[in-house]
Amino acid sequence: MLHAATTASQKRQALRSALVQPTEGTALLRFIGAFTPLSTSLVAGKGFEGVYVSGAVVSAELGLPDIGLTTLTEVAARAAQVARTTDLPVLVDADTGFGEPMNVARTVQVLEDAGIAGLHLEDQVNPKRCGHLDGKQVVPREVAAQRIAAAVRARRDPDLLIMARSDARAVEGLDAAIERLKAYVDAGADAVFPEAMLTLADYERVVSAVDVPVLANLTEFGKAPLFTHAQLADVGVRIALHPVSLLRTAMGAVERALDALATTGTLEGEVSSMLTRARLYELIDYAGYNDFDADVFTFEVPDGKKGLQA
Ligand SMILES: C[C@](O)(C(=O)O)[C@H](CC(=O)O)C(=O)O
Ligand SMILES: [Mg+2]
């Protein structure tokens, strides 16, 4: 009931130890973008290791393109709502940090207070754009390294994972992107996110160039093929990210249902593919609230039945 039973600090420690001392089950951590806080219980229930709060999803949900229009307050509010619902570590897309070093420092503290386990900061210029679109621009390497250094300095919990993302591959090429990632690790990044890698060999090069965990972004309709978890684990990638997949899946289903309703005038034919009422109640642990209520407010009513259970 009320979902997360673990504290933010326990979740951060669990993520760190899974990254530092991989076991067979944690060699590749699979982070799934929660398009709504409700989806985290499904993600956890299916055995995935982490939840992601995607900038693309937060903006899309607000009906906005992913071009740096969302505010820190909006992202932090979503992050807190998501983190509340799950014992899994939550990784948050902090875009460019919402400004330069001083803003980045504040961003880190606000997100840390939201109960997340880690965040990533990228080296794009403000305003940023989706990493899989053309026409991206990056700030100089030193400026991006300062963002990372500021983030590391600002965190109060040393277990909060600070991940550096570089968008430079599409702008300056793979070698430059790798040099950047190395500089960000020197500035204190705990993990790296090389954006828009095109081949498994690209990942292999990043993995051998840095001694921190590497994330692979498996966003659909992007520039890169959808490598499998086994392929990524083989080249040493430690985190597989599916950032927007649940939103795309859910919205695909919504559109099909609306089409059916518009055409046939009934949703009867769609009901079999809907989440049932019982399953929805299971996901939000309705029964847990009932039990809690019954324990706290039990009282005898004149006919001998227990109150609130009758
Ligand atoms: C990972 C990402 O930063 C996100 O916001 O989820 C996006 C995903 C996308 O737009 O498909 C990205 O820039 O790759
Ligand atoms: Mg993003």
Side-chain angles (χ1 to χ4, degrees):
M1 195 192 63
L2 297 174
H3 303 289
T6 41
T7 64
S9 128
Q10 288 168 327
K11 293 181 223 177
R12 289 173 195 146
Q13 281 166 20
L15 174 59
R16 268 200 187 257
S17 59
L19 285 171
V20 172
Q21 287 165 326
T23 59
E24 210 181 306
T26 62
L28 185 81
L29 305 178
R30 301 157 304 164
F31 275 68
I32 314 293
F35 76 104
T36 157
L38 175 63
S39 56
T40 63
S41 47
L42 271 176
V43 171
K46 303 291 176 193
F48 292 98
E49 292 79 22
V51 168
Y52 182 63
V53 173
S54 146
V57 169
V58 171
S59 47
E61 276 183 324
L62 295 169
L64 295 167
D66 184 17
I67 51 173
L69 294 172
T70 49
T71 65
L72 169 59
T73 312
E74 286 167 336
V75 173
R78 197 50 156 175
Q81 289 165 346
V82 168
R84 185 194 71 80
T85 61
T86 184
D87 290 317
L88 294 178
V90 175
L91 176 69
V92 174
D93 180 354
D95 287 339
T96 57
F98 302 97
E100 290 315 325
M102 193 80 81
N103 308 75
V104 173
R106 174 147 197 267
T107 296
V108 167
Q109 296 199 348
V110 170
L111 290 176
E112 196 174 40
D113 289 343
I116 66 161
L119 58 94
H120 64 76
L121 292 158
E122 68 203 31
D123 55 9
Q124 288 200 47
V125 297
N126 271 308
K128 52 84 35 82
R129 57 174 65 212
C130 163
H132 287 255
L133 295 184
D134 295 323
K136 287 189 298 188
Q137 284 177 289
V138 287
V139 296
R141 187 168 77 189
E142 298 64 36
V143 173
Q146 279 164 13
R147 289 181 186 166
I148 300 299
V152 170
R153 237 177 101 190
R155 77 178 155 202
R156 290 144 302 174
D157 182 348
D159 286 327
L160 182 81
L161 192 92
I162 309 275
M163 180 185 287
R165 160 171 156 173
S166 180
D167 282 73
R169 191 205 192 301
V171 189
E172 301 173 341
L174 181 60
D175 289 340
I178 290 176
E179 287 313 307
R180 279 174 172 268
L181 292 170
K182 284 162 69 177
Y184 306 157
V185 173
D186 288 345
D190 303 303
V192 294
F193 176 162
E195 176 64 313
M197 296 289 106
L198 302 179
T199 63
L200 287 169
D202 289 356
Y203 281 115
E204 225 162 357
R205 286 214 34 216
V206 177
V207 168
S208 59
V210 295
D211 57 6
V212 296
V214 175
L215 173 148
N217 178 6
L218 298 161
T219 195
E220 299 83 7
F221 314 107
K223 292 219 181 283
L226 294 181
F227 302 116
T228 66
H229 292 163
Q231 286 175 315
L232 292 169
D234 269 359
V235 294
V237 166
R238 298 296 316 286
I239 302 175
L241 178 66
H242 297 270
V244 193
S245 317
L246 297 192
L247 174 95
R248 296 193 221 280
T249 305
M251 286 300 283
V254 167
E255 187 159 33
R256 283 190 296 278
L258 289 173
D259 282 341
L261 181 61
T263 319
T264 65
T266 172
L267 279 173
E268 199 57 54
E270 301 303 304
V271 171
S272 61
S273 54
M274 288 184 187
L275 188 77
T276 63
R277 178 181 290 268
R279 185 75 178 118
L280 175 62
Y281 286 3
E282 222 171 82
L283 296 180
I284 54 185
D285 190 23
Y286 228 105
Y289 291 85
N290 267 346
D291 292 346
F292 185 86
D293 221 17
D295 284 351
V296 172
F297 300 109
T298 44
F299 58 93
E300 295 290 326
V301 286
D303 65 1
K305 283 189 193 150
K306 288 215 163 191
L308 299 173
Q309 284 179 327

